[in-house]
mmCIF file of all heavy atoms in Angstrom:
data_model
loop_
_atom_site.group_PDB
_atom_site.id
_atom_site.type_symbol
_atom_site.label_atom_id
_atom_site.label_comp_id
_atom_site.label_asym_id
_atom_site.label_seq_id
_atom_site.Cartn_x
_atom_site.Cartn_y
_atom_site.Cartn_z
ATOM 1 N N ASP A 1 -9.232 5.894 4.298
ATOM 2 C CA ASP A 1 -10.384 6.615 4.838
ATOM 3 C C ASP A 1 -9.866 7.791 5.735
ATOM 4 O O ASP A 1 -10.688 8.623 6.122
ATOM 5 C CB ASP A 1 -11.182 5.767 5.750
ATOM 6 C CG ASP A 1 -10.414 5.024 6.905
ATOM 7 O OD1 ASP A 1 -9.108 5.097 6.781
ATOM 8 O OD2 ASP A 1 -10.953 4.574 7.804
ATOM 9 N N ARG A 2 -8.595 7.965 5.905
ATOM 10 C CA ARG A 2 -8.104 9.002 6.758
ATOM 11 C C ARG A 2 -6.579 9.278 6.456
ATOM 12 O O ARG A 2 -5.970 8.400 5.816
ATOM 13 C CB ARG A 2 -8.303 8.753 8.251
ATOM 14 C CG ARG A 2 -7.494 7.468 8.864
ATOM 15 C CD ARG A 2 -7.965 7.105 10.139
ATOM 16 N NE ARG A 2 -7.044 6.240 10.904
ATOM 17 C CZ ARG A 2 -7.028 4.975 10.658
ATOM 18 N NH1 ARG A 2 -7.676 4.344 9.753
ATOM 19 N NH2 ARG A 2 -6.163 4.244 11.507
ATOM 20 N N PRO A 3 -5.979 10.333 6.958
ATOM 21 C CA PRO A 3 -4.671 10.655 6.614
ATOM 22 C C PRO A 3 -3.597 9.506 6.930
ATOM 23 O O PRO A 3 -2.705 9.183 6.221
ATOM 24 C CB PRO A 3 -4.258 11.905 7.404
ATOM 25 C CG PRO A 3 -5.656 12.602 7.560
ATOM 26 C CD PRO A 3 -6.621 11.443 7.632
ATOM 27 N N ALA A 4 -3.821 8.853 8.140
ATOM 28 C CA ALA A 4 -2.839 7.747 8.622
ATOM 29 C C ALA A 4 -2.998 6.652 7.546
ATOM 30 O O ALA A 4 -1.855 5.993 7.178
ATOM 31 C CB ALA A 4 -3.232 7.288 9.962
ATOM 32 N N ALA A 5 -4.088 6.272 6.943
ATOM 33 C CA ALA A 5 -4.137 5.236 6.003
ATOM 34 C C ALA A 5 -3.495 5.727 4.684
ATOM 35 O O ALA A 5 -2.755 4.857 4.130
ATOM 36 C CB ALA A 5 -5.589 4.957 5.697
ATOM 37 N N ALA A 6 -3.726 6.934 4.361
ATOM 38 C CA ALA A 6 -3.080 7.473 3.030
ATOM 39 C C ALA A 6 -1.579 7.470 3.180
ATOM 40 O O ALA A 6 -0.895 7.185 2.201
ATOM 41 C CB ALA A 6 -3.600 8.860 2.665
ATOM 42 N N LYS A 7 -1.032 7.828 4.364
ATOM 43 C CA LYS A 7 0.352 7.879 4.574
ATOM 44 C C LYS A 7 1.014 6.403 4.442
ATOM 45 O O LYS A 7 2.135 6.199 4.032
ATOM 46 C CB LYS A 7 0.663 8.402 5.948
ATOM 47 C CG LYS A 7 0.548 9.978 5.874
ATOM 48 C CD LYS A 7 0.784 10.429 7.439
ATOM 49 C CE LYS A 7 0.437 11.972 7.488
ATOM 50 N NZ LYS A 7 0.745 12.450 8.850
ATOM 51 N N ALA A 8 0.171 5.454 4.897
ATOM 52 C CA ALA A 8 0.704 4.008 4.859
ATOM 53 C C ALA A 8 0.810 3.381 3.553
ATOM 54 O O ALA A 8 1.514 2.467 3.391
ATOM 55 C CB ALA A 8 -0.229 3.161 5.766
ATOM 56 N N VAL A 9 -0.181 3.773 2.652
ATOM 57 C CA VAL A 9 -0.230 3.138 1.271
ATOM 58 C C VAL A 9 1.096 2.995 0.595
ATOM 59 O O VAL A 9 1.439 1.856 0.186
ATOM 60 C CB VAL A 9 -1.326 3.866 0.404
ATOM 61 C CG1 VAL A 9 -1.181 3.311 -1.033
ATOM 62 C CG2 VAL A 9 -2.712 3.586 0.986
ATOM 63 N N PRO A 10 1.889 4.054 0.432
ATOM 64 C CA PRO A 10 3.208 3.818 -0.295
ATOM 65 C C PRO A 10 4.183 2.925 0.447
ATOM 66 O O PRO A 10 4.842 2.259 -0.217
ATOM 67 C CB PRO A 10 3.925 5.290 -0.374
ATOM 68 C CG PRO A 10 2.970 6.110 0.584
ATOM 69 C CD PRO A 10 1.723 5.563 0.799
ATOM 70 N N HIS A 11 4.128 2.878 1.777
ATOM 71 C CA HIS A 11 4.924 1.957 2.518
ATOM 72 C C HIS A 11 4.461 0.570 2.235
ATOM 73 O O HIS A 11 5.268 -0.423 2.214
ATOM 74 C CB HIS A 11 4.962 2.332 4.007
ATOM 75 C CG HIS A 11 5.495 3.664 4.284
ATOM 76 N ND1 HIS A 11 6.741 4.058 4.195
ATOM 77 C CD2 HIS A 11 4.838 4.780 4.653
ATOM 78 C CE1 HIS A 11 7.026 5.191 4.402
ATOM 79 N NE2 HIS A 11 5.882 5.733 4.810
ATOM 80 N N ILE A 12 3.188 0.382 2.139
ATOM 81 C CA ILE A 12 2.595 -0.952 1.876
ATOM 82 C C ILE A 12 3.076 -1.446 0.543
ATOM 83 O O ILE A 12 3.445 -2.673 0.411
ATOM 84 C CB ILE A 12 0.992 -0.919 1.990
ATOM 85 C CG1 ILE A 12 0.512 -0.666 3.388
ATOM 86 C CG2 ILE A 12 0.344 -2.251 1.505
ATOM 87 C CD1 ILE A 12 -0.917 -0.415 3.554
ATOM 88 N N ARG A 13 2.970 -0.580 -0.494
ATOM 89 C CA ARG A 13 3.421 -0.899 -1.856
ATOM 90 C C ARG A 13 4.888 -1.317 -1.852
ATOM 91 O O ARG A 13 5.392 -2.301 -2.384
ATOM 92 C CB ARG A 13 3.154 0.252 -2.774
ATOM 93 C CG ARG A 13 3.518 0.253 -4.183
ATOM 94 C CD ARG A 13 2.695 -0.766 -4.910
ATOM 95 N NE ARG A 13 3.091 -2.049 -4.835
ATOM 96 C CZ ARG A 13 2.269 -3.173 -5.193
ATOM 97 N NH1 ARG A 13 1.119 -3.019 -5.583
ATOM 98 N NH2 ARG A 13 2.742 -4.371 -5.062
ATOM 99 N N ASP A 14 5.753 -0.400 -1.168
ATOM 100 C CA ASP A 14 7.093 -0.791 -1.078
ATOM 101 C C ASP A 14 7.470 -2.258 -0.485
ATOM 102 O O ASP A 14 8.228 -2.819 -0.949
ATOM 103 C CB ASP A 14 7.860 0.340 -0.334
ATOM 104 C CG ASP A 14 7.936 1.653 -1.060
ATOM 105 O OD1 ASP A 14 7.630 1.681 -2.290
ATOM 106 O OD2 ASP A 14 8.225 2.673 -0.353
ATOM 107 N N GLU A 15 6.644 -2.519 0.525
ATOM 108 C CA GLU A 15 7.027 -3.651 1.294
ATOM 109 C C GLU A 15 6.559 -4.850 0.411
ATOM 110 O O GLU A 15 7.221 -5.965 0.340
ATOM 111 C CB GLU A 15 6.308 -3.707 2.603
ATOM 112 C CG GLU A 15 6.650 -4.886 3.528
ATOM 113 C CD GLU A 15 8.080 -5.185 3.779
ATOM 114 O OE1 GLU A 15 8.829 -4.249 4.025
ATOM 115 O OE2 GLU A 15 8.466 -6.421 3.881
ATOM 116 N N LEU A 16 5.403 -4.737 -0.312
ATOM 117 C CA LEU A 16 5.013 -5.808 -1.187
ATOM 118 C C LEU A 16 5.916 -6.092 -2.195
ATOM 119 O O LEU A 16 6.282 -7.188 -2.641
ATOM 120 C CB LEU A 16 3.556 -5.454 -1.715
ATOM 121 C CG LEU A 16 2.389 -5.469 -0.707
ATOM 122 C CD1 LEU A 16 1.171 -4.848 -1.339
ATOM 123 C CD2 LEU A 16 2.047 -6.920 -0.296
ATOM 124 N N ASP A 17 6.507 -5.019 -2.839
ATOM 125 C CA ASP A 17 7.514 -5.074 -3.802
ATOM 126 C C ASP A 17 8.736 -5.879 -3.335
ATOM 127 O O ASP A 17 9.272 -6.680 -3.938
ATOM 128 C CB ASP A 17 7.927 -3.739 -4.397
ATOM 129 C CG ASP A 17 6.706 -3.081 -5.143
ATOM 130 O OD1 ASP A 17 5.813 -3.737 -5.604
ATOM 131 O OD2 ASP A 17 6.804 -1.748 -5.352
ATOM 132 N N LYS A 18 9.156 -5.565 -2.091
ATOM 133 C CA LYS A 18 10.281 -6.261 -1.503
ATOM 134 C C LYS A 18 10.081 -7.710 -1.360
ATOM 135 O O LYS A 18 11.019 -8.518 -1.531
ATOM 136 C CB LYS A 18 10.670 -5.615 -0.169
ATOM 137 C CG LYS A 18 11.203 -4.225 -0.209
ATOM 138 C CD LYS A 18 11.435 -3.611 1.162
ATOM 139 C CE LYS A 18 11.874 -2.241 1.149
ATOM 140 N NZ LYS A 18 12.020 -1.668 2.577
ATOM 141 N N ARG A 19 8.708 -8.068 -1.148
ATOM 142 C CA ARG A 19 8.368 -9.598 -1.049
ATOM 143 C C ARG A 19 8.135 -10.179 -2.317
ATOM 144 O O ARG A 19 7.831 -11.425 -2.377
ATOM 145 C CB ARG A 19 7.236 -9.708 -0.043
ATOM 146 C CG ARG A 19 7.420 -9.212 1.350
ATOM 147 C CD ARG A 19 6.240 -9.562 2.234
ATOM 148 N NE ARG A 19 6.243 -8.897 3.509
ATOM 149 C CZ ARG A 19 5.431 -9.132 4.553
ATOM 150 N NH1 ARG A 19 4.431 -9.970 4.285
ATOM 151 N NH2 ARG A 19 5.592 -8.446 5.700
ATOM 152 N N GLY A 20 8.184 -9.401 -3.447
ATOM 153 C CA GLY A 20 7.945 -9.973 -4.834
ATOM 154 C C GLY A 20 6.467 -10.128 -5.087
ATOM 155 O O GLY A 20 6.121 -10.924 -6.014
ATOM 156 N N ILE A 21 5.671 -9.271 -4.368
ATOM 157 C CA ILE A 21 4.217 -9.292 -4.536
ATOM 158 C C ILE A 21 3.879 -8.215 -5.390
ATOM 159 O O ILE A 21 3.675 -7.083 -4.937
ATOM 160 C CB ILE A 21 3.408 -9.345 -3.145
ATOM 161 C CG1 ILE A 21 3.879 -10.474 -2.315
ATOM 162 C CG2 ILE A 21 1.966 -9.490 -3.512
ATOM 163 C CD1 ILE A 21 3.756 -11.867 -2.812
ATOM 164 N N ASP A 22 3.616 -8.403 -6.744
ATOM 165 C CA ASP A 22 3.364 -7.217 -7.600
ATOM 166 C C ASP A 22 1.917 -6.978 -7.764
ATOM 167 O O ASP A 22 1.542 -6.305 -8.842
ATOM 168 C CB ASP A 22 4.099 -7.428 -8.859
ATOM 169 C CG ASP A 22 3.632 -8.608 -9.716
ATOM 170 O OD1 ASP A 22 2.769 -9.405 -9.177
ATOM 171 O OD2 ASP A 22 3.993 -8.808 -10.921
ATOM 172 N N ILE A 23 0.953 -7.458 -7.051
ATOM 173 C CA ILE A 23 -0.472 -7.389 -7.212
ATOM 174 C C ILE A 23 -0.886 -5.839 -7.175
ATOM 175 O O ILE A 23 -0.440 -5.076 -6.280
ATOM 176 C CB ILE A 23 -1.139 -8.160 -6.116
ATOM 177 C CG1 ILE A 23 -2.698 -8.171 -6.543
ATOM 178 C CG2 ILE A 23 -0.989 -7.594 -4.799
ATOM 179 C CD1 ILE A 23 -3.404 -9.286 -5.663
ATOM 180 N N PRO A 24 -1.652 -5.311 -8.072
ATOM 181 C CA PRO A 24 -2.087 -3.979 -7.967
ATOM 182 C C PRO A 24 -2.959 -3.760 -6.738
ATOM 183 O O PRO A 24 -3.776 -4.558 -6.463
ATOM 184 C CB PRO A 24 -2.894 -3.727 -9.293
ATOM 185 C CG PRO A 24 -2.393 -4.833 -10.169
ATOM 186 C CD PRO A 24 -2.209 -6.053 -9.309
ATOM 187 N N LEU A 25 -2.802 -2.486 -6.142
ATOM 188 C CA LEU A 25 -3.491 -2.081 -5.084
ATOM 189 C C LEU A 25 -4.636 -1.012 -5.516
ATOM 190 O O LEU A 25 -4.305 -0.158 -6.328
ATOM 191 C CB LEU A 25 -2.759 -1.487 -3.923
ATOM 192 C CG LEU A 25 -1.713 -2.436 -3.332
ATOM 193 C CD1 LEU A 25 -0.926 -1.553 -2.262
ATOM 194 C CD2 LEU A 25 -2.388 -3.603 -2.554
ATOM 195 N N ILE A 26 -5.784 -1.177 -5.035
ATOM 196 C CA ILE A 26 -6.931 -0.303 -5.417
ATOM 197 C C ILE A 26 -7.304 0.480 -4.063
ATOM 198 O O ILE A 26 -7.503 -0.034 -3.149
ATOM 199 C CB ILE A 26 -8.134 -0.984 -5.848
ATOM 200 C CG1 ILE A 26 -7.860 -1.883 -7.099
ATOM 201 C CG2 ILE A 26 -9.324 -0.092 -6.094
ATOM 202 C CD1 ILE A 26 -8.887 -2.834 -7.506
ATOM 203 N N GLY A 27 -7.421 1.801 -4.259
ATOM 204 C CA GLY A 27 -7.699 2.589 -3.173
ATOM 205 C C GLY A 27 -9.242 2.753 -3.001
ATOM 206 O O GLY A 27 -9.916 3.228 -4.061
ATOM 207 N N ASP A 28 -9.838 2.539 -1.890
ATOM 208 C CA ASP A 28 -11.298 2.679 -1.616
ATOM 209 C C ASP A 28 -11.515 3.957 -0.923
ATOM 210 O O ASP A 28 -11.219 4.023 0.198
ATOM 211 C CB ASP A 28 -11.804 1.539 -0.719
ATOM 212 C CG ASP A 28 -13.340 1.449 -0.773
ATOM 213 O OD1 ASP A 28 -13.948 1.352 -1.767
ATOM 214 O OD2 ASP A 28 -13.865 1.536 0.363
ATOM 215 N N PHE A 29 -12.135 4.928 -1.632
ATOM 216 C CA PHE A 29 -12.224 6.227 -0.995
ATOM 217 C C PHE A 29 -13.749 6.696 -0.797
ATOM 218 O O PHE A 29 -14.618 6.307 -1.595
ATOM 219 C CB PHE A 29 -11.657 7.304 -2.030
ATOM 220 C CG PHE A 29 -10.203 7.153 -2.176
ATOM 221 C CD1 PHE A 29 -9.666 6.597 -3.346
ATOM 222 C CD2 PHE A 29 -9.323 7.832 -1.253
ATOM 223 C CE1 PHE A 29 -8.299 6.560 -3.409
ATOM 224 C CE2 PHE A 29 -8.012 7.721 -1.401
ATOM 225 C CZ PHE A 29 -7.498 7.044 -2.536
#
């Protein structure tokens, strides 16, 4: 919903990958 959330998304994806969680993320815009 805002720039701070958009900036966080790739870091969320990276951290999930590190934990072995490959679930797809959907962005709600």
Side-chain angles (χ1 to χ4, degrees):
D1 58 343
R2 66 193 197 279
K7 289 178 182 178
V9 167
H11 299 291
I12 293 168
R13 181 72 273 164
D14 289 344
E15 184 58 34
L16 287 169
D17 291 341
K18 290 177 184 177
R19 299 186 187 186
I21 310 296
D22 62 353
I23 190 167
L25 295 178
I26 301 166
D28 190 65
F29 293 99

